[in-house]
Amino acid sequence: MNTKKNINLLNYVELNNLQILTIKGSDSKIFLQNQLTININKLDNSMHFFNAFHCNSQGKVLTNMHIFKICENNYQCIIRKNILQKYLENIKKYLLLYKVKISLNKERKIFGILNIQKDQIIYKNFKNKNISLKKRTVYFFQKNIFLKFKYMKKYNFLILSKENIFFILKNFFIFENLYLKNSIYWDKFYMKIGYHIIDMNSHCNLFFPQQFCINKIHAIDFHKGCYLGQEIINSLIFKKKINQKLFLLEVQSNMILSYNNLLEFKDNESKKWRIIRSQIILKILNIKSNLFWIQVLLKNNFIKKNLIRFQKYKENNIYINKIF
């Protein structure tokens, strides 16, 4: 089948590596406003979801997240499961100051929808044509939620109540072109748009938001009031002290790549290979046979023409796919 010409094609991914957290209570709004890098007031109309950072008092990132409002004093966010326990332990002390409760939402499952060719596929199943409106990014259909990425067309979250999963997916099968993809496709999407993957406990409390492409994902509101770590985050922006950027690297290798492998670059003047200092590999993704994508933080003086390789596997040259 030629999928490029098939306008009814719908690829979906069951995102078991992500977790929905529910934040409820009479102080939920003020708690989030005082903690997160975005202006929570902008969620009041329940028309949008936002990307956000939750930082510690030193301005270091605990986690990044997608967050949206369900109703008054009821919010939900999506974070990586691998760091969930570490994150909850880190914010315990802040919860004591507010009338708020954070709990795992076990009633809903998250699906990623890739490469939707026609919005009709979605709104026919949910009986809501407003889903094609460009300015809106969150939609509610009874107990189900649909989130649209405004900066990347045809990629969306579908959050389904467990009681409706079978019924909804059965409806999609009417189009006869519903394909279950491996979850690596969603991480590939994240890496492609420069959405940083904080997936290891050792990476919590390690980075400043400015080390990521904050302008593209709009995860910081510089016009809101005080929040945890704001003074340090703002001072770093004005002083321009951050000298690292997010890079997407690509390498072909039949070796087992490790997050501890050292990277080295070829010095253009001396023509010698030198170890890259202060490198931090966020994610290594095997996207197909022997082809890997690597999301990594490097000093911002690297350019696309620089030659990079693993010190351990000298025969495999690494190419800079994208600089964010």
Side-chain angles (χ1 to χ4, degrees):
M1 179 185 66
N2 187 347
T3 56
K4 289 184 180 179
K5 294 182 180 179
N6 193 331
I7 59 174
N8 288 331
L9 177 65
L10 178 68
N11 296 319
Y12 78 101
V13 180
E14 191 172 352
L15 295 170
N16 293 320
N17 57 346
L18 300 180
Q19 175 65 51
I20 302 172
L21 289 181
T22 298
I23 304 99
K24 295 177 72 172
S26 57
D27 287 342
S28 58
K29 183 175 182 179
I30 190 170
F31 166 74
L32 292 170
Q33 184 73 342
N34 290 342
Q35 297 289 316
L36 302 187
T37 55
I38 61 161
N39 188 345
I40 291 297
N41 293 318
K42 292 183 179 180
L43 295 178
D44 278 351
N45 58 12
S46 296
M47 290 185 65
H48 296 287
F49 81 95
F50 287 95
N51 302 308
F53 293 107
H54 196 168
C55 300
N56 63 20
S57 56
Q58 285 76 48
K60 298 280 185 78
V61 176
L62 295 171
T63 187
N64 53 330
M65 65 178 70
H66 310 293
I67 186 166
F68 51 94
K69 184 175 181 178
I70 299 294
C71 58
E72 193 66 26
N73 297 322
N74 188 342
Y75 299 82
Q76 289 188 342
C77 67
I78 300 171
I79 71 169
R80 308 284 293 197
K81 272 187 182 177
N82 284 357
I83 62 163
L84 178 63
Q85 201 58 43
K86 175 83 171 179
Y87 172 65
L88 293 176
E89 287 173 7
N90 272 275
I91 65 172
K92 263 184 188 177
K93 55 190 173 186
Y94 305 122
L95 292 172
L96 297 174
L97 305 173
Y98 301 89
K99 293 178 183 177
V100 63
K101 182 180 178 182
I102 295 183
S103 59
L104 305 186
N105 189 299
K106 298 179 180 178
E107 303 302 316
R108 292 187 170 116
K109 283 186 70 70
I110 310 171
F111 295 85
I113 298 179
L114 313 153
N115 297 324
I116 297 178
Q117 300 302 317
K118 289 172 67 179
D119 281 337
Q120 291 93 320
I121 295 177
I122 298 296
Y123 72 62
K124 277 184 181 179
N125 282 279
F126 291 106
K127 298 179 174 58
N128 189 324
K129 291 190 177 182
N130 289 331
I131 206 164
S132 60
L133 294 176
K134 291 183 179 180
K135 291 184 179 179
R136 188 167 184 168
T137 59
V138 60
Y139 303 83
F140 298 94
F141 310 99
Q142 298 176 353
K143 295 182 179 180
N144 308 303
I145 305 166
F146 184 75
L147 306 180
K148 293 180 70 173
F149 282 89
K150 59 184 176 182
Y151 44 81
M152 193 70 171
K153 293 180 180 179
K154 301 182 174 69
Y155 283 79
N156 310 275
F157 278 128
L158 184 60
I159 302 172
L160 302 178
S161 62
K162 288 189 175 179
E163 62 192 73
N164 289 340
I165 287 174
F166 177 77
F167 173 75
I168 297 292
L169 294 183
K170 184 181 176 183
N171 275 359
F172 281 140
F173 271 109
I174 294 172
F175 293 90
E176 298 180 355
N177 292 308
L178 180 71
Y179 296 96
L180 176 61
K181 293 282 190 178
N182 190 296
S183 61
I184 66 167
Y185 282 85
W186 198 261
D187 280 345
K188 183 182 176 184
F189 159 61
Y190 274 159
M191 294 168 84
K192 187 177 181 180
I193 65 173
Y195 187 82
H196 36 288
I197 299 175
I198 301 176
D199 207 23
M200 293 187 283
N201 286 340
S202 59
H203 287 166
C204 293
N205 298 305
L206 186 62
F207 312 110
F208 290 107
Q210 291 90 336
Q211 290 173 269
F212 307 116
C213 51
I214 56 175
N215 292 329
K216 185 171 182 180
I217 63 171
H218 307 293
I220 300 181
D221 188 327
F222 293 104
H223 303 291
K224 68 170 282 187
C226 296
Y227 60 87
L228 202 63
Q230 182 196 33
E231 187 175 340
I232 294 173
I233 291 169
N234 284 357
S235 68
L236 289 171
I237 291 235
F238 294 122
K239 293 177 182 178
K240 298 182 179 179
K241 283 192 173 183
I242 299 297
N243 65 349
Q244 281 186 316
K245 284 183 180 177
L246 190 68
F247 286 73
L248 176 60
L249 309 181
E250 185 175 303
V251 60
Q252 282 197 318
S253 176
N254 55 8
M255 305 297 181
I256 298 175
L257 304 182
S258 166
Y259 288 82
N260 296 320
N261 289 155
L262 290 175
L263 293 169
E264 54 184 19
F265 74 102
K266 192 172 185 178
D267 189 296
N268 291 331
E269 292 183 5
S270 67
K271 306 300 179 185
K272 292 181 180 180
W273 289 89
R274 303 185 185 278
I275 292 175
I276 299 175
R277 306 294 178 186
S278 304
Q279 66 176 50
I280 304 174
I281 296 176
L282 296 176
K283 188 71 176 177
I284 298 175
L285 194 67
N286 186 194
I287 59 175
K288 61 182 179 181
S289 180
N290 296 335
L291 182 63
F292 294 85
W293 274 10
I294 304 166
Q295 190 180 65
V296 61
L297 287 169
L298 301 174
K299 286 190 175 179
N300 54 21
N301 58 353
F302 282 96
I303 60 175
K304 274 199 169 186
K305 291 181 180 180
N306 283 126
L307 293 178
I308 300 174
R309 69 185 183 188
F310 281 108
Q311 187 185 45
K312 189 175 180 180
Y313 308 121
K314 299 185 185 298
E315 68 279 7
N316 299 127
N317 281 339
I318 298 173
Y319 301 96
I320 298 177
N321 184 306
K322 216 175 218 183
I323 302 173
F324 297 96

